[in-house]
């Protein structure tokens, strides 16, 4: 009886990185929206990388004879400026294309800073518990007590308005989420047998934390990274819109909207297109994030 | 229940002191000292400067200064605005009703559309309606609301001419502030058209501010509903022959509401963040716009006081939500 029962437990599924990847893809690709989001996101990356080759004009080149020219399909528009020009004659399409660089850059930097800081604090809190844990978590509670955009705004007011400072502020505001997730995951992992076994062998704390435990906590962190990538883009655009992020003439999408505000009733295109760019990029990333969550969340996985 | 309340309070107290510490540190991390900040562009003589520094206690050790600051807060003094010379608390109290009015209307829109949309989507899982709701919800969730507001202005104010672009009520009407809520005050004034005017000013900002909560509530309701619908007791209720309306409306909804209520409570912070952008776009004279203006005017005492008051409000509301949550769901109260 016992032999049969034992045999049934043996897992014959292929292992290794490629198998994990294949399994992940089979779950991820079930969600059509997620795949669409991924395709769009890759498209945005390509546009950003090859911006200099794709953009028909320089992002800051002013065509003084073509101020506020409408898109090509409207009367007075020309194919030379497919999406029209802004108030000082800069090509909208070229600015939007270069704006993709800024948005992706913002997302990458913010996620990297907040992810790394969040993982370190979360590991420390979850691993050592006690006073270190209380101290770190109380600080995170304080950060979370403020509405995120307000705190970011005030931090930028202290640091001075610029894109770099806006990114630092957004990273500070976002990292408590990573700390909480890492801590919770670490605390669950700590109770498992493999951690006890590793301790018995005499593995040092640092190695135990980063090499043994951390890789098993990655799934929720990856999902959070995707979600905070999109909210970083949104928040940076909001700060840019309020004049507290990237400064003109930077072709950052939020900053472009701030510059376009006074023309909303005269030239719809200067307002509409930067917003469409923000919305579609953020939406694509969120759709991807949903797919990631479905594929990585063990609770929803049907095994 | 009382023990539960105490435990929650004990957790929140250090956070509250932390928040006051942030507000305290904020004004000291700015370039220049507080007296110079208050002097603003005018500047002042070194003697007067030293005198003021001593008068306000800035020459004392930093710990003592923090103690003084806490004492000042305990006495209800949240600083004085450099620009208007008014107490920050008074300015805050004058503008706060505008933000509450806007937030309440936004939440009404969010709940009124979000709850049914999420519920129907859950009961018709996989249908066209479900996909439409979920796609729209994710779009709403991804929306840069400052742009969304501009679009609505272009369409409804610019092209259709239905709604005004900014403010709370038309300048044609004047009435005394009774409650601070424009809808109620305009109604009480009895002037013809005043209420309609207030309403038309409120509608677009409410839609803009309500968009993200609406999306979050729809998503949360759907997933909570789906979870509950797969429970055994729902199957039992169905097996007993209860109609779908009764199963969903009575049996499933009550349990599905627990996570939804929490999510609704947690939107307070989101509403404040959203109010900053919404009020700026629509020139809505509330706390959000006041904070942004104060930052730009370098009215740092106002920023400091506002920051503290907003954080305190968010914390109190979250505490109340926690308590309500414990009240609805005894399981939470008795476990950690």
């Amino acid at each position: 009886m016992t032999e049969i029962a034992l045999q049934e437990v043996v897992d014959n599924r292929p292992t290794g990185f490629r198998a994990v990847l294949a399994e992940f893809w089979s779950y991820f690709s079930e969600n059509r929206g997620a795949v669409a989001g991924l395709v769009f996101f890759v498209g945005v990356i390509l546009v950003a990388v090859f911006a200099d080759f794709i953009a028909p004009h320089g992002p800051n080149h002013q065509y003084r004879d073509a101020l506020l020219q409408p898109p090509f399909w409207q009367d007075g528009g020309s194919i030379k400026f497919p999406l029209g020009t802004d108030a000082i004659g800069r090509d909208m399409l070229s600015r939007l294309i270069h704006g993709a660089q800024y948005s992706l850059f913002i997302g990458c930097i913010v996620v990297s800073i907040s992810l790394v800081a969040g993982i370190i604090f979360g590991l420390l809190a979850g691993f050592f518990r006690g006073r270190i844990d209380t101290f770190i978590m109380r600080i995170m509670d304080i950060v979370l007590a403020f509405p995120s955009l307000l705190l970011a705004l005030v931090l930028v007011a202290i640091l001075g308005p610029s894109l770099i400072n806006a990114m630092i502020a957004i990273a500070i505001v976002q990292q408590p989420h990573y700390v909480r997730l890492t801590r919770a995951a670490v605390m669950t992992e700590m109770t498992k047998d493999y951690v006890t076994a590793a301790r018995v062998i005499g593995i040092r704390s640092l190695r135990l934390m980063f090499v043994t435990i951390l890789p098993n906590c990655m799934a929720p962190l990856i999902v959070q990274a995707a979600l905070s990538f999109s909210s970083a883009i949104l928040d940076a655009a909001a700060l840019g819109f309020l004049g507290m992020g990237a400064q003109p003439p930077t072709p950052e999408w939020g900053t472009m909207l701030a510059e376009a505000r006074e023309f909303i009733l005269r030239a719809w295109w200067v307002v509409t297109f930067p917003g469409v760019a923000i919305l579609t990029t953020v939406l694509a990333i969120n759709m991807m994030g949903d797919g990631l969550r479905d594929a990585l969340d063990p609770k929803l996985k049907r095994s | 229940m009382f023990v539960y309340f105490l435990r929650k309070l004990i957790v929140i107290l250090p956070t509250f002191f932390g928040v006051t510490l942030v507000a305290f540190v904020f004004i000291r991390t700015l370039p220049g000292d507080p007296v110079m900040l208050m002097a603003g562009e005018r500047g002042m003589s070194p003697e007067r400067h030293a005198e003021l520094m001593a008068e306000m206690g800035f020459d004392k050790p930093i710990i003592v200064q923090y103690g003084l600051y806490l004492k000042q807060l305990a006495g209800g003094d949240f600083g004085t605005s450099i620009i208007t010379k008014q107490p920050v608390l008074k300015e805050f109290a004058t503008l706060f009703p505008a933000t509450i009015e806007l937030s309440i209307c936004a939440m009404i829109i969010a709940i009124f559309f979000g709850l049914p949309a999420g519920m129907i989507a859950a009961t018709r899982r996989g249908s066209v309606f479900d996909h439409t709701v979920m796609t729209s919800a994710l779009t709403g969730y991804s929306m840069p609301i400052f742009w969304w507001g501009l679009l609505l202005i272009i369409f409804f104010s610019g092209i259709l001419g239905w709604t005004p672009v900014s403010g709370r009520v038309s300048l044609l009407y004047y009435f005394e502030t009774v409650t601070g809520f424009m809808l109620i005050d305009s109604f009480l004034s009895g002037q013809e058209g005043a209420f309609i005017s207030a309403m038309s000013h409120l509608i677009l900002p409410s839609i803009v501010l309500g968009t993200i909560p609406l999306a979050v509530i729809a998503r949360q309701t759907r997933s909570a509903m789906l979870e509950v619908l797969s429970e055994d007791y729902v199957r039992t209720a169905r097996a007993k022959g209860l109609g779908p309306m009764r199963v969903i409306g009575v049996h499933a909804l009550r349990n599905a509401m627990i996570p939804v209520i929490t999510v609704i409570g947690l939107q307070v912070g989101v509403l404040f963040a959203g109010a900053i952008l919404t009020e700026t776009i629509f020139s809505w004279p509330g706390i959000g716009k006041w904070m942004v203006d104060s930052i730009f005017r370098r009215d740092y005492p106002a920023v400091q006081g506002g920051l503290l008051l907003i954080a305190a409000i968010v914390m109190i509301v979250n505490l109340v939500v926690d308590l309500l949550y414990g009240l609805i769901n005894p399981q939470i109260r008795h476990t950690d």
Side-chain angles (χ1 to χ4, degrees), chain B residues 203-224:
Chain B
I203 185 76
L204 287 190
S206 304
I207 292 173
V208 170
L209 188 56
T211 301
I212 289 177
L214 167 58
V216 173
I217 289 171
R219 276 166 71 94
Q220 185 64 48
T221 309
R222 178 179 178 270
S223 70

Side-chain angles (χ1 to χ4, degrees), chain A residues 207-230:
Chain A
R207 191 182 154 82
L208 190 61
M209 274 197 295
F210 284 95
V211 182
T212 316
I213 299 177
L214 184 60
N216 291 306
C217 308
M218 285 316 283
L221 289 173
I222 293 172
V223 176
Q224 178 64 32
L227 293 177
S228 73
F229 197 102
S230 61

Side-chain angles (χ1 to χ4, degrees), chain A residues 142 146-147 149-150 153-154 158 234 237-238 241-242 244 257 261 264-265 271-272 275-276 278-279 282-283 286-287 290, chain B residues 15 18-19 22 26 29 138-139 141-142 144 146-147 154 158 219 269 272-273 276 280-281 291 295-296 307 310-311:
Chain A
I142 294 167
F146 297 98
L149 186 64
L150 178 66
L153 203 59
V154 170
I158 297 173
L234 268 184
F241 178 74
L242 291 170
M244 284 292 190
L257 273 174
R261 246 186 96 182
I264 54 170
L265 297 180
V271 181
T272 311
V276 170
I278 301 172
L279 175 62
V282 170
L283 181 61
N286 282 339
M287 281 159 79
D290 268 9
Chain B
T15 316
V19 167
V22 170
F26 159 71
T29 48
L138 199 61
T139 311
Y141 184 71
S142 312
F146 45 99
W147 173 70
I154 293 181
R219 276 166 71 94
F272 267 116
I276 293 174
T280 304
I281 298 165
M291 283 299 281
I295 288 173
F296 275 104
L307 193 63
I310 291 173

Side-chain angles (χ1 to χ4, degrees), chain B residues 137-159:
Chain B
L138 199 61
T139 311
Y141 184 71
S142 312
M143 188 66 83
I145 61 167
F146 45 99
W147 173 70
W148 178 225
L150 295 179
L151 275 196
L152 292 181
I153 291 177
I154 293 181
F155 190 70
F156 288 103
S157 309
I159 298 174

Side-chain angles (χ1 to χ4, degrees), chain A residues 22 26 31 80 91 107 110 132-133 160 180 261 265 275 294 303:
Chain A
S26 79
N31 185 335
K80 191 182 171 196
D91 178 44
V110 168
I132 299 178
D133 182 28
R180 284 191 164 183
R261 246 186 96 182
L265 297 180
D294 293 350
S303 49

